[in-house]
Amino acid sequence: MTDASPSSTPPLIYVLNGPNLNLLGLREPQIYGHVTLADVEALCHQRALGLGVAVSFRQSNHEGVLVDWIHEARTEAAGIVLNAGAYTHTSIAIMDALRGTGVPAIEVHLSNVFQREAFRHHSYPALACVGVIAGLGPMGYELALEALAGRLKRS
Ligand code: CA2
């Protein structure tokens, strides 16, 4: 007999990346290291497996596309990990989209934005996030997934 036991679909977490993050590992290694975005994606899928969640990992250079994905998360995802790149410091639209979804979101930055230029110290999306992780490199994505998976388990 084949194993036909029902297995529930793991909760889906959107991992959204903003402008220029497609260049990760290819330029400015002194700030962002040598790890590519494909490496970060592989790390997220691996970590998600251990946490019993699934990941939809995406990158866009366009603010409106990020807003659309956040809207989509309202019905499709149980959580959002967001590295909005430079839109972090400018985008009221992304903050409003996060507020509109009601889906728990964690903001992640590879670099320690607080050690950098003053304009990187402010984040609009952070006002709509349950937490912020900065300066831990790709591990920040793993920690954000762990925190969201923990919240899901408790809820
Ligand atoms: O530290 C982070 O993760 C940032 O979100 C990265 C953004 C920056 O604007 C934020 O202030 C902090 C920049 C992403 C661009 O990444 C590049 C990677 C390699 C080469 C050029 C850009």
Side-chain angles (χ1 to χ4, degrees), residues 17-29 31-33 35 82-89 107-113 116-117 119-122 133-135 137 141:
N17 296 278
N20 298 309
L21 283 159
N22 52 312
L23 299 176
L24 206 63
L26 310 178
R27 297 187 49 202
E28 300 202 68
I31 300 175
Y32 300 111
V35 170
L82 174 69
N83 184 348
Y87 287 142
T88 302
H89 318 299
E107 177 172 311
V108 169
H109 296 289
L110 293 157
S111 64
N112 182 353
V113 284
R116 301 182 65 192
E117 303 96 322
F119 65 81
R120 295 186 203 275
H121 298 179
H122 180 262
I133 298 169
Y141 286 73

Side-chain angles (χ1 to χ4, degrees), residues 25-151:
L26 310 178
R27 297 187 49 202
E28 300 202 68
Q30 71 285 4
I31 300 175
Y32 300 111
H34 291 279
V35 170
T36 67
L37 198 62
D39 295 332
V40 177
E41 177 171 9
L43 195 68
C44 285
H45 285 301
Q46 197 185 355
R47 190 77 186 100
L49 211 60
L51 292 166
V53 297
V55 155
S56 176
F57 192 96
R58 307 172 186 189
Q59 187 274 333
S60 176
N61 293 324
H62 304 279
E63 186 176 16
V65 172
L66 292 163
V67 167
D68 286 343
W69 286 342
I70 292 166
H71 289 178
E72 188 185 292
R74 195 168 65 84
T75 53
E76 303 303 318
I80 299 172
V81 175
L82 174 69
N83 184 348
Y87 287 142
T88 302
H89 318 299
T90 62
S91 182
I92 296 170
I94 288 176
M95 175 188 70
D96 284 346
L98 288 169
R99 283 205 174 130
T101 61
V103 173
I106 297 186
E107 177 172 311
V108 169
H109 296 289
L110 293 157
S111 64
N112 182 353
V113 284
F114 301 104
Q115 270 183 348
R116 301 182 65 192
E117 303 96 322
F119 65 81
R120 295 186 203 275
H121 298 179
H122 180 262
S123 162
Y124 284 103
L127 295 166
C129 285
V130 297
V132 178
I133 298 169
L136 302 180
M139 187 203 277
Y141 286 73
E142 293 186 89
L143 293 173
L145 286 173
E146 192 178 330
L148 286 173
R151 279 177 66 98

